[in-house]
């Protein structure tokens, strides 16, 4: 069986953008031409590649296989082109990193020497929740992911892990700051809380802890911004729950205090440095990955072998 790679590109763009018309606009051609190329591709393959639903363009199982093939081709092409530039001594390229907001300070600290050494390589940083981080890496829309608390996945390669327990984080004038011992979830639940939404690993591990302890937390503030949670904690009006790396600076300057929580799930939480298993990384991405694994404070403290 043979098929035309150019037609696969038409299908890829239609699937990525959610429809034939959007793909046509992006490629600056007529929508009828995109539709025709996709129909011819389906005839070549003897398979239906997409179905129309109320949500728009939805790939079939055969379509998803073809999209995976094309994504791998693009990744291979990118890696080869970057390697050729490296052979010529031209250190150009782009590396994309997707992560949660809590690790940004550590990430910037580690990226700084990379950018100094390779000033012509750009680094993109995308902030997302845990589920979206994993999805973005698996769809090859990011070279590197840094994710807090995710289930094992054979499609992910874990390059570095670190145990990062969760703490109750509060201002020095907050009642919890007077605790002389680790607190339990029931005590935490009696205070106003600012917590992330359920797409974030912190909230997911808290949900597991709640089930284990048969205790429900009712946050007063729910947000997808780490900065919002930290700002609320700084006011003394609420406490939040975070790993230490998310509030490192505030702890060092005494603006916030970290109170241990006596709960097994929370004490075993981990942060992971991940890539898509089997994806050939460009030299630039591989070098940044190496530097992140070796120099990020979040991975130096409490590091474990994957």
């Amino acid at each position: 069986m043979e098929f035309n790679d150019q037609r696969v590109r038409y299908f890829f763009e239609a699937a990525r953008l959610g429809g034939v018309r959007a793909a046509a606009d992006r490629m600056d051609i007529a929508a009828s031409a995109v539709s025709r190329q996709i129909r011819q591709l389906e005839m070549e393959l003897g398979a239906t590649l997409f179905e129309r639903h109320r949500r728009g363009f939805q790939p079939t199982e055969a379509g998803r296989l073809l999209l995976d093939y094309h994504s791998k081709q693009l990744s291979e092409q990118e890696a080869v082109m970057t390697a050729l530039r490296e052979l010529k001594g031209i250190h150009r390229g782009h590396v994309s990193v997707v992560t949660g907001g809590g690790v940004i300070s550590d990430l910037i600290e580690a990226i700084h020497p990379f950018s100094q050494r390779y000033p012509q390589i750009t680094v993109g940083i995308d902030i997302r929740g845990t589920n979206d981080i994993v999805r973005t890496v698996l769809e090859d829309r990011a070279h590197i992911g840094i994710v807090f608390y995710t289930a094992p996945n054979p499609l992910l390669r874990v390059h570095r892990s670190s145990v990062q327990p969760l703490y109750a984080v509060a201002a020095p004038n907050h009642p919890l700051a007077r605790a002389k011992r680790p607190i339990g979830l029931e005590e935490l639940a009696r205070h106003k809380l600012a917590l992330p939404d359920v797409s974030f690993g912190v909230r997911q591990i808290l949900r597991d802890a709640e089930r284990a302890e048969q205790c429900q937390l009712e946050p007063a503030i729910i947000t997808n911004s780490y900065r919002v949670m930290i700002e609320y904690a700084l006011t003394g009006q609420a406490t939040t729950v975070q790993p230490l790396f998310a509030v490192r600076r505030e702890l060092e300057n005494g603006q916030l205090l970290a109170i241990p929580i006596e709960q097994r799930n929370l004490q075993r939480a981990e942060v992971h440095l991940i890539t898509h298993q089997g994806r050939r990384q460009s030299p630039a991405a591989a070098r940044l990955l190496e530097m992140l694994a070796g120099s990020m404070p979040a991975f130096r403290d409490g590091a474990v072998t994957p």
Side-chain angles (χ1 to χ4, degrees):
M1 179 188 297
E2 295 183 0
F3 53 87
N4 186 303
D5 275 340
Q6 180 60 30
R7 290 178 183 140
V8 176
R9 180 173 173 248
Y10 287 105
F11 172 65
F12 177 82
E13 290 296 333
R16 184 174 70 88
L17 297 172
V20 168
R21 185 167 297 280
D25 291 342
R26 177 63 182 268
M27 302 173 76
D28 197 24
I29 58 176
S32 59
V34 176
S35 295
R36 184 168 59 254
Q37 292 294 328
I38 294 175
R39 284 198 301 272
Q40 290 177 346
L41 179 61
E42 288 179 319
M43 291 175 62
E44 290 174 352
L45 296 172
T48 300
L49 298 177
F50 74 92
E51 298 172 344
R52 292 192 179 277
H53 297 281
R54 283 180 295 178
R55 294 182 179 179
F57 189 105
Q58 295 293 319
T60 61
E61 184 176 355
R64 289 191 293 271
L65 286 173
L66 200 60
L67 291 174
D68 184 56
Y69 156 80
H70 189 67
S71 295
K72 288 177 180 177
Q73 270 203 326
L74 292 177
S75 296
E76 287 289 322
Q77 185 182 64
E78 177 191 3
V80 169
M81 293 304 295
T82 305
L84 289 172
R85 287 194 294 266
E86 292 284 339
L87 288 174
K88 294 179 181 179
I90 303 172
H91 297 282
R92 296 181 182 272
H94 178 77
V95 184
S96 53
V97 181
V98 60
T99 183
V103 79
I104 284 299
S105 294
D106 281 6
L107 179 60
I108 296 300
E109 181 178 327
I111 284 178
H112 180 63
F114 176 85
S115 296
Q116 285 186 313
R117 185 169 181 179
Y118 305 103
Q120 292 180 301
I121 295 176
T122 59
V123 179
I125 301 174
D126 191 12
I127 307 299
R128 294 177 179 263
T130 295
N131 299 343
D132 279 344
I133 292 171
V134 171
R135 187 179 304 112
T136 301
V137 170
L138 291 178
E139 292 176 356
D140 292 333
R141 290 184 284 125
H143 298 94
I144 300 168
I146 302 170
V147 63
F148 188 78
Y149 188 68
T150 186
N153 187 322
L155 298 178
L156 292 176
R157 180 180 177 187
V158 178
H159 297 264
R160 191 80 164 171
S161 291
S162 174
V163 175
Q164 294 288 348
L166 291 177
Y167 290 78
V169 176
N173 62 345
H174 191 279
L176 281 178
R178 297 193 291 270
K180 302 299 182 184
R181 55 179 175 74
I183 64 172
L185 280 190
E186 287 188 2
E187 186 173 356
L188 182 65
R190 290 195 288 269
H191 296 272
K192 186 176 182 180
L193 292 169
L195 296 178
D197 63 47
V198 294
S199 69
F200 285 79
V202 167
R203 191 63 182 279
Q204 292 169 19
I205 194 172
L206 279 170
R207 286 285 181 87
D208 291 345
E210 289 171 59
R211 284 192 287 267
E213 302 298 322
Q214 297 184 337
C215 171
Q216 189 169 357
L217 301 178
E218 297 287 353
I221 298 99
I222 301 173
T223 177
N224 63 356
S225 168
Y226 276 83
R227 197 66 239 168
V228 168
M229 289 180 276
I230 292 169
E231 289 295 333
Y232 263 105
L234 287 170
T235 67
Q237 298 177 30
T239 186
T240 185
V241 177
Q242 302 293 338
L244 295 183
F245 62 74
V247 288
R248 192 184 306 277
R249 291 181 181 176
E250 289 80 8
L251 294 175
E252 289 173 353
N253 62 30
Q255 290 179 289
L256 292 174
L257 299 175
I259 301 98
I261 303 173
E262 195 170 22
Q263 207 289 321
R264 187 175 182 180
N265 298 62
L266 306 189
Q267 293 168 356
R268 293 186 174 185
E270 293 185 359
V271 61
H272 306 285
L273 182 66
I274 61 172
T275 61
H276 189 177
Q277 182 73 269
R279 180 181 185 181
R280 181 179 176 183
Q281 296 289 348
S282 69
R287 180 61 182 138
L288 179 58
L289 186 64
E290 178 185 352
M291 294 181 72
L292 295 181
S295 63
M296 273 189 69
F299 292 114
R300 288 202 311 264
D301 305 334
V304 296
T305 303

